[in-house]
Amino acid sequence: MTVRTILTIGDPELRRRAEEVDLAQIASAPVQRIIDELIATMRDANGAGLAATQIGEHVRIAVMEVGNNPRYPYKPKIPLTIAINPVIEPLDDERVEINEGCLSVPLRGDVSRYVNIRVKYLDRDGVEHDEVKRGLTAGTWQHECDHLDGVLFIDRVADPTTLSTWDEFNEHHRDAFIERITAFVERIGS
Ligand code: NI
């Protein structure tokens, strides 16, 4: 399985809107290969998710998976999910500030995300899904779907003073964030 190069901020490819995948193409070898490479690349980088845009493939496909992730130890688990043509609809106005990172951006920062969303997508077999996602998992979905529109989390950081490198985050902000977000996860259950 090929691990692909992950594009980083400044690469114009990250700013392109990805195209919908034609239902008839989902079973094709090129689409299935992109899915396999997304999974391999996400796992190699210890990411919680990866969008096709990030490997320079401009199709609306994202993968997500959270097990015991050393990069995001506070995140509730997400089974391996392949989302083709995902569409998100907020269910209400509730929001939470999540300190996010991204494999394409060498910084972390606080982003306001919807807490309760409905997601519609196709899996790699072309099966339709219509599900509710909450909390940090909902945040991950919003982050990955943003990539497919050429949007990076850093575009949504309202307070630039929350930006930090991973090292500075670990030294100065990690403990307070984990305390706050763990209480949130316990309240929300995801
Ligand atoms: Ni990202």
Side-chain angles (χ1 to χ4, degrees):
M1 204 79 68
T2 308
V3 171
R4 299 277 299 267
T5 300
I6 299 175
L7 308 182
T8 49
I9 185 168
D11 191 321
E13 299 271 300
L14 282 173
R15 298 306 191 167
R16 278 176 57 182
R17 185 188 182 279
E19 299 290 327
E20 272 76 15
V21 180
D22 188 341
L23 183 57
Q25 295 302 312
I26 290 179
S28 72
V31 168
Q32 294 291 319
R33 191 191 67 239
I34 289 171
I35 292 168
D36 286 336
E37 291 179 350
L38 280 169
I39 295 167
T41 306
M42 170 181 67
R43 288 177 172 169
D44 179 70
N46 280 322
L50 190 67
T53 306
Q54 292 177 275
I55 59 169
E57 301 283 357
H58 300 287
V59 287
R60 301 187 80 77
I61 304 174
V63 298
M64 286 159 270
E65 182 180 45
V66 178
N68 292 318
N69 190 327
R71 205 172 138 93
Y72 298 102
Y74 48 84
K75 265 184 183 287
K77 293 190 179 11
I78 301 177
L80 178 64
T81 304
I82 291 95
I84 301 173
N85 299 342
V87 176
I88 288 178
E89 176 194 332
L91 290 174
D92 54 41
D93 292 331
E94 188 179 358
R95 286 176 167 268
V96 60
E97 291 280 325
I98 301 174
N99 186 279
E100 295 190 7
C102 176
L103 296 172
S104 294
V105 181
L107 294 173
R108 300 184 56 130
D110 284 358
V111 182
S112 172
R113 296 291 188 187
Y114 290 107
V115 173
N116 303 298
I117 62 171
R118 178 180 185 183
V119 296
K120 294 183 184 175
Y121 63 99
L122 302 169
D123 65 25
R124 71 183 303 168
D125 298 317
V127 175
E128 286 184 42
H129 293 255
D130 183 343
E131 298 162 0
V132 171
K133 305 294 178 188
R134 306 186 71 216
L136 293 186
T137 300
T140 301
W141 275 83
Q142 289 164 83
H143 178 114
E144 299 311 328
C145 289
D146 270 354
H147 276 302
L148 301 177
D149 290 329
V151 173
L152 298 173
F153 84 88
I154 205 163
D155 307 349
R156 298 192 185 278
V157 172
D159 178 359
T161 68
T162 66
L163 291 170
S164 65
T165 64
W166 281 73
D167 282 350
E168 298 298 341
F169 174 78
N170 287 337
E171 184 170 345
H172 301 290
H173 308 290
R174 187 178 190 278
D175 291 348
F177 173 65
I178 287 188
E179 189 175 338
R180 175 171 70 79
I181 214 66
T182 301
F184 169 79
V185 168
E186 283 171 4
R187 179 167 70 79
I188 290 291
S190 62

